[in-house]
């Protein structure tokens, strides 16, 4: 095998109880669908492999020397209900590398077969969800959002049975770690303070070297998650299944299952087929992340000598999070309207703009983008000309004191996002052997703040009959 990685596997060196060793399920007929060569270079991947060798490697059939495939153990609150044991049911952490920038990163196979944590599942992944995660995670990275990355997608030759028979695939996912709130809940649920301390020390060394206590670590995670959800909101992104096992310690977006980008603006927009109560609706994301952080806080209290005395202090840290989210959201939406440093007094201006979008059913992404390019062009998007004109007067009066507001807006308002109908179009074509729409879409999404004329169709909202109203997890 000509493929090499500079493996340095710290999680696999932890004591018993954190993971189980597991080999990937052999793929009967692996075929490379997509390979992220720039990311491979970042990771220090060596060798000059053929497509066949890449397919063998990233299907799990021929892992590079130094790989140590393991299934991690974790728990999680799923839609508010606690599951004491979840774990990697269809994924294997094959190892960690220290990349060319000196950053430690995980390599994981997703869809590589059953593990001891599969809970009756087959451990496989259909091609559609694999390619969806590839498209959206790489688009999020190009948009500047902290996220897991996609290194490769390989068709396995398996048939995966869900509602229908589907082609199988494996995704190679890259993350600064796969540590989740659920990892801490796993040991807290077992009252295993010794292993919890080992986990905390590992997480601090990896993500928060300056943290000198469980409380300091908690505050670091809260700060990262507050910034993350503000970025989601500023892009109209809806994760769809923000359970605690899908909430990272690193502050990266993870597990792109029923995710979607909102088109017509409405704060209660939901796409996920499993989110029947709207728990993870667009605007509800700002409320559920503090709830998730409360579960992390509850877990970390296991490490406090006098937990009862520390409850109020931990509670205060969690209760401070909504203000952090509001501040980060104000700043990001201010930048989208050309304000370098939005103040609290600017909040009504932002809220009035969003109310205009909601009342008109206007496209979230295209309205912001049009405003950044040409106010007259933006005005044509609204039937309520008087309402837009009144808002415009206030906005223009506010930005007169700003330096280069249009440049700021064009740098923060993307021209193109992974629109749901375009993603579905690419996935449908891929499943019948046509990868051209997938490759075109992923290429255009690498430069989301510029868009050439020949790709302008990718920026258009869904036409009647093209709308995607429901997305699915794919597990």
């Amino acid at each position: 095998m000509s493929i090499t990685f500079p493996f340095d596997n710290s999680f696999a060196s932890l004591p018993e109880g954190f993971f189980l060793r597991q080999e990937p399920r052999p793929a009967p007929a692996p075929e490379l669908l997509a390979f992220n060569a720039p990311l491979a270079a970042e990771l220090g991947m060596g060798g000059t492999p053929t497509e066949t060798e890449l397919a063998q490697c990233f299907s799990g059939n021929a892992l590079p020397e130094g790989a140590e495939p393991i299934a991690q153990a974790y728990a999680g609150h799923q839609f508010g209900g606690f599951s004491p044991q979840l774990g990697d049911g269809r994924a294997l952490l094959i190892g960690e590398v220290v990349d060319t920038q000196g950053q430690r990163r995980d390599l994981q196979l997703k869809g590589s077969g059953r593990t001891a944590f599969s809970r009756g599942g087959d451990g496989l992944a259909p091609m559609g969800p694999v390619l969806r995660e590839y498209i959206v995670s790489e688009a999020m990275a190009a948009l500047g959002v902290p996220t897991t990355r996609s290194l490769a997608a390989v068709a396995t030759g398996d048939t995966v049975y869900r509602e229908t028979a589907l082609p199988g695939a494996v995704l190679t996912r890259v993350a600064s770690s796969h540590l989740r709130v659920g990892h801490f809940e796993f040991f807290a649920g077992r009252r295993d303070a010794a292993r919890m301390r080992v986990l905390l020390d590992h997480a601090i060394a990896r993500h928060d070297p300056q943290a000198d206590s469980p409380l300091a670590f908690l505050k670091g995670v809260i700060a990262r998650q507050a910034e993350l959800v503000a970025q989601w909101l500023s892009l109209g992104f809806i994760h769809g299944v923000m359970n605690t096992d899908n909430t990272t310690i690193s502050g990266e977006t993870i597990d792109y299952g029923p995710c979607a980008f909102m088109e017509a603006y409405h704060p209660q927009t939901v796409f996920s087929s499993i989110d029947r109560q709207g728990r993870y609706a667009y605007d509800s994301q700002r409320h559920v992340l503090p709830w998730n952080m409360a579960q992390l806080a509850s877990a970390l209290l296991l490490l406090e000598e006098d937990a009862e005395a520390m409850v109020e202090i931990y509670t205060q840290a969690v209760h401070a999070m909504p203000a952090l989210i509001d501040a980060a959201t104000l700043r990001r939406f201010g930048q989208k309207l050309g304000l370098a440093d939005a103040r609290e007094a600017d909040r009504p201006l932002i809220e009035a703009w969003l109310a205009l979008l909601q009342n008109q059913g206007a496209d979230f992404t295209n309205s912001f983008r049009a405003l950044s390019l040409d106010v007259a062009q933006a005005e044509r998007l609204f039937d309520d000309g008087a309402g837009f004109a009144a808002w415009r007067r206030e906005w223009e009066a506010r930005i007169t004191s700003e330096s280069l507001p249009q440049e700021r807006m064009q740098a923060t308002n993307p021209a193109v996002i992974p629109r749901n109908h375009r993603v579905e179009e690419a996935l449908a074509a891929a499943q019948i052997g046509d990868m051209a729409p997938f490759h075109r879409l992923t290429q255009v999404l690498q430069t989301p703040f510029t868009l050439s004329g020949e790709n302008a169709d990718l920026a258009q909202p869904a036409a009647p009959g093209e709308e995607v109203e429901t997305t699915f997890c794919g597990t």
Side-chain angles (χ1 to χ4, degrees), residues 90 111 121-126 129 159-168 473-475:
R90 59 171 178 155
D122 59 18
L124 305 178
T159 299
V160 178
Y161 294 94
R162 297 296 182 257
E163 289 80 6
T164 60
L166 300 167
C473 191
T475 56

Side-chain angles (χ1 to χ4, degrees), residues 258-442:
C259 64
F261 281 79
M262 179 171 56
E263 291 197 343
Y265 175 75
H266 194 290
Q268 294 308 312
T269 300
V270 177
F271 287 96
S272 171
S273 64
I274 58 177
D275 190 6
R276 297 181 180 89
Q277 304 302 317
R279 178 181 176 88
Y280 302 134
Y282 165 77
D283 200 51
S284 297
Q285 296 175 126
R286 70 168 74 233
H287 306 301
V288 79
L289 262 299
W291 193 92
N292 288 0
M293 292 299 97
Q295 311 319 306
L296 177 60
S298 296
L300 290 170
L301 279 168
L302 180 65
L303 298 177
E304 297 291 349
E305 290 186 12
D306 189 349
E308 187 173 343
M310 293 296 292
V311 166
E312 181 59 31
I313 296 173
Y314 275 63
T315 300
Q316 289 173 5
V318 173
H319 285 182
M321 190 179 187
L324 296 178
I325 294 172
D326 284 349
T329 305
L330 176 64
R331 184 179 70 253
R332 291 192 176 276
F333 274 87
Q335 290 169 349
K336 290 171 73 67
L337 292 179
L339 309 178
D341 187 16
R343 307 182 290 266
E344 189 61 34
D346 295 317
R347 195 178 295 275
L349 182 69
I350 296 169
E351 292 176 347
W353 169 250
L354 294 176
L356 272 176
L357 299 189
Q358 182 176 344
N359 292 338
Q360 295 292 301
D363 185 86
F364 182 84
T365 299
N366 286 354
S367 297
F368 274 104
R369 184 66 181 181
L371 193 67
S372 71
L373 296 174
D374 179 1
V375 177
Q377 176 185 339
E379 187 169 11
R380 288 194 290 272
L381 299 176
F382 294 90
D383 296 329
D384 181 7
F388 178 86
W391 179 85
R392 174 182 176 178
R393 286 192 294 272
E394 290 191 31
W395 173 64
E396 289 182 333
R398 173 64 180 88
I399 65 169
T400 54
S401 60
E402 293 288 333
S403 174
L404 304 175
Q406 301 299 129
E407 287 84 348
R408 183 175 301 111
M409 294 171 71
Q410 290 170 32
T412 53
N413 292 314
V416 61
I417 56 168
R419 291 186 178 272
N420 307 323
H421 65 294
R422 290 302 189 187
V423 173
E424 293 300 327
E425 176 184 75
L427 303 188
Q431 291 182 74
I432 58 173
D434 180 7
M435 290 296 293
F438 170 89
H439 290 303
R440 179 190 178 215
L441 184 58
T442 53

